[in-house]
Amino acid sequence: MKNKSILISGASVAGPALAFWLRRYGFDTTIVEQAPELRAGGYAVDFRGASVGVLERMGLLPKVQQMQTRIGAITIVDKDSKKVASMPDGFTSGELEILRGDLAGIFHEATRDATEYIFDDSIASMEESDLGVDVVFQRGGRRRFDLVIGADGLHSKVRSLAFGEEAKFVRYLGCYVSIFTIPNYLNLDRSGLYYGTLGRKVGIFNNGDPRKSVASFFFATDPFPYQRRDTEQQKNILREYFRQELWEVPHLLKLMTSAPDFYFDSVSQVKMDQWSIGRCALLGDAAYCASPLSGMGTGMAVVGAYILAGELAEADGDYTIAFARYESLMQEFVKKCQSLADGGVDWFVPRTRLRFWLSLQLWKVLPYTPWKNLMIEVPLKIGNSITLKEYSRLEKLSPKSAN
C-alpha cells in the first residue's frame, strides 16, 4: 500500500474516528493534540441517520447508547422560572445524544492501542515534497509522514498552514456561545431550561447525572476580536454581556469562575471549495463546520471519517484519487447539513422586539400544531440523505483486533 503513514491533527472526535478506520485498513496513524490530555465534559452532540450507522459499523454503538443523555422536556421560562412555552421532546437531541467528552473518551479507548497519540503539542510548520510531508512540531520535533489530515476544529492550524488564513473560510453567523459544567443545584433530571431576552439566551441542561448539569450562554452581536487562549478574558466578556440579566444568570456567572471545562467561541460555519491540497486534507469542523445551531457537526465528522478512510483504502493509498472521491461523496451531504443553521440565529437569539415576540409565540403554539414534529423529522431526513458505501472487504485487521 502507498502512503501508509498518516498524521492526524486533533484528538477530539473526527481525528480518532478517522484513525479507527485507517487502522482497520492497515495504515499507520499518529494523532497530535495541543491539549495536554483529552478534554472532558462539554456540550452534548447528536447523531442522526447515517452517522448512527457508522457507530454501528465501528462496533461502538452499544457503548455510546450506554452513555447517551436522553434529555427530554425543554422548558422556556421567564425571570421567575415560570413556564412560558416548551420545545418538543427530542428537538435538541436527535436519534442519539452524548456529551462530547464522553464520546471522545470512547473513541480514544477504541484507538489508543493501535494509534500513536502525542498530547500537549501541535504542528508548527509543514513542507511537502515527492517523498511526503516534513512536519515540524511546536515542541521542536521533526518527522516525515506520507499524508497529513487536519481534524483540528473551527480554528484549524492545518487549514491555515495548507490553505491560508482563517478569515477566508470562516463565516460568522451572528452570535457567540459559551458552555461549561455546573453543579446540578436545580435538581434537574434529564431535562432542560431556557431563559431569553433580546439578543441573549441562557440554558441549563441535565443528562441524568444527579451531580452536575451544563450551562449554555448565547449572545448575538457584531463580531469582535478576542484572545482564543485567554479564558479569563472570555469570562469577563460573558460577565459584561450578561451582567444585567435576571433568572439564574447571576448565580451561573459565579459558578463559571470555577468551571472545569469552560468553552467560548463564535457560532460560525466553514465554507470551502475543496478540502484537500496535495498530501493534506481536512475533516470535520476544520473542513465544513456547520455550527452548533445545525446539530449535525459530529454526525458529519463521523461520516466523513468513515468515507475518507474507506476511499484511501479503496485507492490503495493513492491520495489524489481518494481525496477527490471523499469530496465528491460528502459535498451534497455537507451542503444540506449546513443549511439547517441558515437563519437560525435570528430565531434562536432574536435581536429585535418583533422577532423576539414572534419567536416566543412560535414556541407557545408549536406543540399544538401539525408541524410540531418537523423540527425533528427534517434533520433526520438530512441525516439519512447520504448512502454509506461498503468498505469492509478492504479491512486488513479484524474488528476484534482493531477494538
Side-chain angles (χ1 to χ4, degrees):
M1 184 183 293
K2 308 170 189 174
N3 304 309
K4 285 190 63 174
S5 66
I6 300 179
L7 174 65
I8 303 167
S9 177
S12 181
V13 172
L18 178 63
F20 179 96
W21 290 111
L22 288 173
R23 288 298 302 165
R24 282 279 187 96
Y25 303 138
F27 291 90
D28 299 323
T29 51
T30 299
I31 294 179
V32 60
E33 166 59 48
Q34 66 178 3
E37 59 187 3
L38 284 182
R39 294 173 176 139
Y43 49 88
V45 296
D46 308 337
F47 290 93
R48 296 173 174 87
S51 61
V52 178
V54 174
L55 292 177
E56 188 171 18
R57 295 184 186 197
M58 295 172 82
L60 299 178
L61 182 57
K63 289 185 179 180
V64 176
Q65 289 173 328
Q66 287 174 7
M67 302 185 75
Q68 65 181 307
T69 61
R70 294 191 181 93
I71 293 177
I74 297 178
T75 305
I76 300 172
V77 298
D78 63 15
K79 63 182 177 63
D80 299 314
S81 291
K82 293 181 179 179
K83 179 179 176 179
V84 175
S86 61
M87 295 180 175
D89 286 2
F91 165 64
T92 63
S93 57
E95 290 184 271
L96 185 61
E97 183 182 67
I98 183 172
L99 292 179
R100 185 209 58 77
D102 290 342
L103 180 66
I106 291 172
F107 282 3
H108 178 253
E109 182 182 359
T111 56
R112 62 186 179 187
D113 291 338
T115 293
E116 176 190 9
Y117 275 85
I118 303 172
F119 285 99
D120 200 22
D121 208 347
S122 62
I123 299 173
S125 65
M126 304 186 301
E127 185 176 351
E128 182 177 330
S129 70
D130 293 339
L131 300 176
V133 184
D134 291 310
V135 175
V136 176
F137 293 95
Q138 201 69 45
R139 288 188 170 273
R142 180 187 295 268
R143 290 171 62 178
R144 176 176 293 167
F145 298 89
D146 294 322
L147 304 175
V148 175
I149 309 296
D152 43 355
L154 177 65
H155 305 291
S156 169
K157 181 64 177 293
V158 172
R159 188 185 61 226
S160 65
L161 290 173
F163 293 85
E165 60 184 19
E166 180 175 298
K168 295 195 297 184
F169 310 111
V170 176
R171 181 167 69 93
Y172 177 63
L173 296 187
C175 74
Y176 290 84
V177 59
S178 180
I179 298 170
F180 50 89
T181 298
I182 60 170
N184 185 27
Y185 72 97
L186 293 179
N187 297 315
L188 299 177
D189 183 15
R190 299 189 185 278
S191 59
L193 301 172
Y194 264 133
Y195 167 75
T197 59
L198 277 181
R200 293 163 176 79
K201 180 156 286 184
V202 181
I204 304 175
F205 302 90
N206 174 265
N207 69 336
D209 187 331
R211 301 165 299 170
K212 57 189 178 182
S213 293
V214 174
S216 66
F217 287 72
F218 290 83
F219 61 98
T221 183
D222 294 332
F224 58 83
Y226 68 95
Q227 296 298 319
R228 287 198 299 108
R229 312 221 181 275
D230 189 342
T231 56
E232 285 308 311
Q233 182 200 37
Q234 294 161 19
K235 289 178 181 179
N236 286 332
I237 291 170
L238 216 59
R239 293 186 185 101
E240 179 62 26
Y241 271 89
F242 288 89
R243 60 188 172 84
Q244 295 183 332
E245 297 299 325
L246 303 175
W247 188 53
E248 301 290 335
V249 175
H251 188 54
L252 293 176
L253 291 176
K254 290 180 181 178
L255 293 174
M256 173 184 69
T257 303
S258 57
D261 55 354
F262 180 81
Y263 168 86
F264 181 94
D265 210 336
S266 67
V267 175
S268 301
Q269 288 188 340
V270 173
K271 299 280 192 177
M272 302 184 72
D273 294 330
Q274 63 185 69
W275 307 321
S276 63
I277 183 169
R279 293 175 176 269
C280 175
L282 302 175
L283 172 68
D285 281 356
Y288 33 78
C289 177
S291 88
L293 297 181
S294 75
M296 304 296 284
T298 301
M300 282 197 297
V302 169
V303 170
Y306 174 80
I307 292 175
L308 177 55
E311 293 302 326
L312 277 167
E314 194 166 72
D316 199 27
D318 188 332
Y319 62 89
T320 58
I321 295 174
F323 290 169
R325 287 177 179 171
Y326 158 63
E327 294 186 17
S328 176
L329 290 169
M330 284 290 292
Q331 278 174 349
E332 189 60 29
F333 181 56
V334 166
K335 184 178 179 180
K336 291 177 180 178
C337 290
Q338 289 188 330
S339 71
L340 287 172
D342 291 345
V345 170
D346 290 339
W347 289 103
F348 188 65
V349 197
R351 298 179 69 175
T352 67
R353 294 189 180 279
L354 176 60
R355 187 62 65 90
F356 182 82
W357 181 84
L358 288 172
S359 175
L360 198 55
Q361 303 316 304
L362 171 66
W363 293 118
K364 285 181 178 180
V365 303
L366 190 63
Y368 310 102
T369 69
W371 307 287
K372 64 181 179 180
N373 292 324
L374 278 179
M375 296 176 126
I376 299 173
E377 293 170 357
V378 171
L380 179 58
K381 183 177 180 181
I382 290 176
N384 279 308
S385 66
I386 187 169
T387 301
L388 298 176
K389 289 177 63 175
E390 183 58 67
Y391 297 112
S392 62
R393 62 185 174 81
L394 303 169
E395 292 183 12
K396 303 290 192 296
L397 303 174
S398 70
K400 183 177 180 180
S401 65
N403 288 336

